[in-house]
Amino acid sequence: MRIARAVAAVAALVQIAAAPELAYRVAEGRNLNAFVREGKVAAHLLLRSGREPRILIAFPAGNSGVGLWFAPLAAPAKWRLDSDPQPVTLSDGEGRPLYGVRAVATLVAPRLAVRQAVLSSVRVLRDYQALGTIPPTVGIVGTVRGRTLDYRRDRGDGAAGYRLTLTVLDGRLDATTIVAGTDGHIRLEIVAASGDHPLSPLLGRELLNETAASDPAARNALTFLSYREKFLAGSWRFNTYFGRDTLMSLRLLMPALQPQAIEAGLSSVLARLAPDGEAAHEEGLSEFAVLEHRKLADGLGDAPTLDHGMVDTSFMLAPVAASYLLDRTDGRDRALAYLARTVGKQTVAAALVRNARFVVAAARAFATDPRAPNLVPIKSGRMTGEWRDSNEGLGRGRFAYDVNAVFVPAALEAISRMAKAGLLDGATTPSDRAAFAAAQGAARVWRAKAPSLFTVTVPATDARTAVTAYAVQAGVPAAHALAALGVGPLMFHALSLDAAGHRVPIVNSDEGFALLFGEPSPADLDTYVSAIMRPFPAGLMTDVGLLVANPVFADAAVQARFSRNAYHGTVVWSWQQALLAAGLERQLQRNLPAPVREHLRAAQAILWRAIEATRVYRSSELWSWAFTDGRYAVAPFGASGADVDESNAAQLWSTVYLAVRPPQQGRVIQARGKRRP
């Protein structure tokens, strides 16, 4: 009987075509991930091992997904993927197409009892994973037919919806509990599909140019996340448009991207601007949009919803657009045609002007009166506003260092450059031209005055006391960190300022933004690169990468919130290392004093050693660490029950090593993006 079932399963797979255009696996912590894209199908299958197994399939189309969470097991169990996901096209009860995948997997466990099925938007699945709740209208009960457990539902507005079917190949089905066979194995055929409209992939030479690194993991992840309509931020949790992620990825990947890919990314941001020119952060699609509109009772059906809660994206747009339109030869050659193209209901040029007006208006108060209250705050009632978008990511601050010390002046400078080059002329008014002409002067005020508001100075004795105490708490040695402190006061830029203008004293990796988008003085380069490159727990460097935060000089309550289990705590984000690497390379192209240049080269070497040591993880979103046997070791984020979330196996801005390369390879490639008109 077992052989017959196996033969039947193989026969069911025979109808699938030859190898898909994209298919690969990533094993990370407790998660086994398999990605496939072919024709109208794009899907990410995730099998979660451990005491609480899970099956989840995320689709870029509509940011939709299906998931099955099982009741806790007495002992951890591990999934094995017996056949890679293969594309399938199904029909729902009304004959509408559903695009999905079929795979076979095995788990060694005595039984699997279904706790919850969720078929909806990935954002609904994401909320269930984090909070354990779902909207009442999304709840679904499975249907048992012989050896098959079937879940299917239309979208909330009656459109083609979702399907998840498990067929027990080894074992038996007892209601919604799957019981292992005599050999202790549970073997399942998994079929999952979504009725959302497929996206249009960017393929091959449409995406990357000949300078891109040959890194297969990064190429696979970028290919899975790249579409003509938009770039996706990451999978499984962020299979949709994120403005900030798109812009930072474009900037870092730009030397390796084809012009049409850059323009696709820029256009996706421009098409989603608010009427006042503010850039959107995240897009809600399909059933998530349906649910949102029903809450608002606005009658807009499934029209995409746009979240404008983040402030950083609006100030990233102009610098990234200027890098393409002014600093790349092909960008300059294509500029006039691209600026005349329509996005939304206006031209690219008009959309850029709309955003430029927003930036100039937002920057005016501080440029006129450079005091902390006139900085750009995160929005009222929120704890998030830039890339550290977990509730504790900014240390409960109101004014972010990266937004105010880096992105606002960079945006003003970019607007001035584009205006002087005549790129915006066809879409500007006389008042626009006057405002844009003054942007460079406003940028100078921001560059001169904003960073110092964030400067933290810690006397040497206090620094040594703090590092010694925090090392004990973190369970790491202090000797190397103490040796790196020197005898003078320690200086670094605070992560943020609170509502009263007080500095939140957390050493942070956002200095990389200043190196990539600014030109700090040689003295500041020396001081602030030193601050982040010191060994943890004085600075941010470990053997497994650059941490994004270190609360060593904060109070005990803040230190507890910035642990290695926190999403933006003492953890490593892959792209932040690439950001610093690209920033160091950019600064080394300047005419710097020899001691500063040598210091930057030493920092560059240390950083790249850590990047190369964790190469297998660098297309992932983030990772944590453990300190055992006298050394740091990678701990996949989400593998520990104490971790607040789990890492994406494919993350857009973690693919940027296709362009950000080690010094001997990278110097020429980075220079491609520095040509002047």
Side-chain angles (χ1 to χ4, degrees):
M1 180 64 70
R2 180 175 174 182
I3 295 173
R5 289 197 298 269
V7 171
V10 172
L13 293 172
V14 168
Q15 63 184 308
I16 308 304
E21 66 186 24
L22 177 70
Y24 69 101
R25 296 186 188 186
V26 176
E28 186 174 280
R30 298 181 187 176
N31 294 345
L32 177 58
N33 305 273
F35 299 82
V36 63
R37 197 173 77 184
E38 174 66 38
K40 294 183 178 182
V41 173
H44 171 188
L45 167 66
L46 182 150
L47 300 173
R48 173 79 165 182
S49 298
R51 291 182 182 272
E52 297 186 23
R54 184 198 329 149
I55 298 171
L56 188 147
I57 301 91
F59 303 99
N63 191 27
S64 57
V66 299
L68 204 56
W69 281 257
F70 297 99
L73 300 174
K78 187 174 183 179
W79 286 102
R80 182 183 76 229
L81 189 57
D82 300 327
S83 74
D84 287 321
Q86 294 293 315
V88 296
T89 300
L90 311 174
S91 294
D92 68 4
E94 297 184 23
R96 297 172 297 193
L98 303 176
Y99 303 105
V101 292
R102 179 187 283 116
V104 176
T106 297
L107 188 76
V108 180
R111 65 183 59 238
L112 282 177
V114 173
R115 186 176 71 192
Q116 182 69 58
V118 185
L119 287 69
S120 185
S121 165
V122 163
R123 290 181 70 169
V124 174
L125 274 69
R126 197 168 89 198
D127 287 346
Y128 178 74
Q129 173 62 24
L131 306 172
T133 59
I134 56 173
T137 56
V138 170
I140 186 172
V141 176
T143 300
V144 177
R145 296 185 182 89
R147 306 180 67 82
T148 297
L149 179 58
D150 190 47
Y151 297 88
R152 60 180 75 189
R153 59 180 292 264
D154 288 347
R155 208 170 69 174
D157 58 352
Y162 319 96
R163 185 168 176 181
L164 174 60
T165 302
L166 300 185
T167 300
V168 180
L169 303 179
D170 287 336
R172 60 184 172 84
L173 187 58
D174 182 4
T176 57
T177 297
I178 305 166
V179 181
T182 55
D183 61 358
H185 289 67
I186 293 173
R187 188 163 179 260
L188 303 173
E189 180 191 61
I190 304 163
V191 176
S194 165
D196 277 302
H197 191 271
L199 296 173
S200 309
L202 282 166
L203 298 170
R205 295 182 180 178
E206 297 175 311
L207 184 59
L208 292 168
N209 62 36
E210 72 284 354
T211 71
S214 60
D215 184 336
R219 283 176 174 261
N220 285 335
L222 180 62
T223 300
F224 184 78
L225 299 171
S226 300
Y227 299 86
R228 291 185 176 89
E229 296 88 348
K230 59 195 167 188
F231 289 82
L232 309 179
S235 194
W236 66 276
R237 294 178 301 126
F238 308 129
N239 257 312
T240 190
Y241 161 91
F242 277 53
R244 171 206 308 129
D245 301 55
T246 298
L247 290 171
M248 280 309 307
S249 300
L250 287 179
R251 177 59 188 88
L252 290 166
L253 277 167
M254 195 173 290
L257 289 177
Q258 293 285 8
Q260 53 267 47
I262 299 170
E263 291 169 10
L266 287 172
S267 293
S268 72
V269 179
L270 294 167
R272 292 166 174 81
L273 294 180
D276 66 355
E278 187 178 22
H281 167 58
E282 184 176 4
E283 179 178 57
L285 296 171
S286 191
E287 185 156 76
F288 186 83
V290 171
L291 293 168
E292 289 289 287
H293 290 307
R294 285 183 176 173
K295 284 182 188 176
L296 298 172
D298 57 17
L300 293 179
D302 65 347
T305 62
L306 295 173
D307 171 9
H308 291 88
M310 298 291 155
V311 300
D312 55 350
T313 312
S314 297
F315 302 97
M316 291 181 179
L317 176 54
V320 176
S323 291
Y324 173 59
L325 296 170
L326 294 174
D327 296 343
R328 276 181 58 135
T329 301
D330 50 11
R332 293 196 301 272
D333 292 343
R334 296 168 62 102
L336 293 181
Y338 177 59
L339 291 166
R341 190 181 304 169
T342 299
V343 291
K345 296 182 179 179
Q346 62 183 167
T347 64
V348 168
L352 284 170
V353 167
R354 189 150 48 104
N355 173 253
R357 291 176 186 141
F358 176 87
V359 170
V360 168
R364 187 171 293 124
F366 187 85
T368 303
D369 182 11
R371 297 180 299 115
N374 291 331
L375 292 167
V376 173
I378 64 173
K379 295 193 173 184
S380 179
R382 296 183 62 102
M383 295 178 70
T384 61
E386 44 81 86
W387 86 267
R388 297 172 188 266
D389 55 359
S390 58
N391 281 340
E392 300 297 341
L394 278 176
R396 305 189 179 182
R398 295 284 303 153
F399 304 96
Y401 167 75
D402 62 340
V403 171
N404 290 282
V406 180
F407 288 122
V408 173
L412 292 167
E413 291 163 351
I415 290 164
S416 175
R417 290 181 64 208
M418 288 190 291
K420 287 178 181 177
L423 297 182
L424 308 179
D425 286 353
T428 54
T429 65
S431 61
D432 290 330
R433 289 190 282 277
F436 299 166
Q440 186 63 45
R444 283 195 288 270
V445 175
W446 278 84
R447 289 281 189 207
K449 301 295 185 179
S452 61
L453 295 174
F454 294 84
T455 300
V456 176
T457 302
V458 182
T461 301
D462 293 350
R464 298 183 72 83
T465 300
V467 169
T468 301
Y470 185 61
V472 173
Q473 178 186 321
V476 298
H480 290 302
L482 292 171
L485 289 179
V487 295
L490 184 149
M491 295 175 64
F492 61 95
H493 284 128
L495 180 62
S496 60
L497 307 181
D498 67 15
H502 300 138
R503 300 169 182 90
V504 177
I506 296 174
V507 185
N508 63 89
S509 61
D510 291 352
E511 210 63 60
F513 291 125
L515 272 61
L516 187 64
F517 290 94
E519 292 194 356
S521 70
D524 282 352
L525 277 175
D526 206 49
T527 296
Y528 296 114
V529 170
S530 292
I532 62 176
M533 293 303 297
R534 290 187 181 99
F536 179 73
L540 301 176
M541 280 308 305
T542 73
D543 297 336
V544 296
L546 179 86
L547 305 181
V548 300
N550 177 6
V552 58
F553 303 114
D555 63 35
V558 174
Q559 289 178 354
R561 294 196 294 267
F562 277 79
S563 74
R564 56 185 165 176
N565 305 114
Y567 197 48
H568 296 101
T570 52
V571 294
V572 181
W573 281 67
S574 181
W575 78 278
Q576 281 280 297
Q577 299 190 108
L579 170 72
L580 179 58
L584 287 168
E585 183 61 37
R586 181 175 179 271
Q587 296 303 318
L588 283 165
Q589 294 174 20
R590 296 172 57 191
N591 183 20
L592 298 171
V596 176
R597 177 174 295 278
E598 289 310 306
H599 183 195
L600 296 190
R601 288 203 188 284
Q604 189 180 51
I606 293 169
L607 177 64
W608 273 106
R609 277 200 297 272
I611 292 172
E612 292 297 332
T614 53
R615 171 182 285 271
V616 69
Y617 297 98
R618 71 185 188 192
S619 289
S620 182
E621 183 182 10
L622 74 154
W623 55 89
S624 187
W625 52 271
F627 191 85
T628 56
D629 298 326
R631 60 184 301 152
Y632 290 90
V634 169
F637 196 76
S640 166
D643 294 343
V644 299
D645 214 323
E646 63 189 57
S647 172
N648 281 324
Q651 190 77 4
L652 181 63
W653 53 21
S654 297
T655 67
V656 297
Y657 296 97
L658 292 168
V660 179
R661 313 281 285 279
Q664 295 306 313
Q665 304 171 46
R667 192 154 296 128
V668 173
I669 293 175
Q670 286 294 327
R672 283 173 58 100
K674 287 292 291 174
R675 296 173 183 163
R676 299 294 181 186

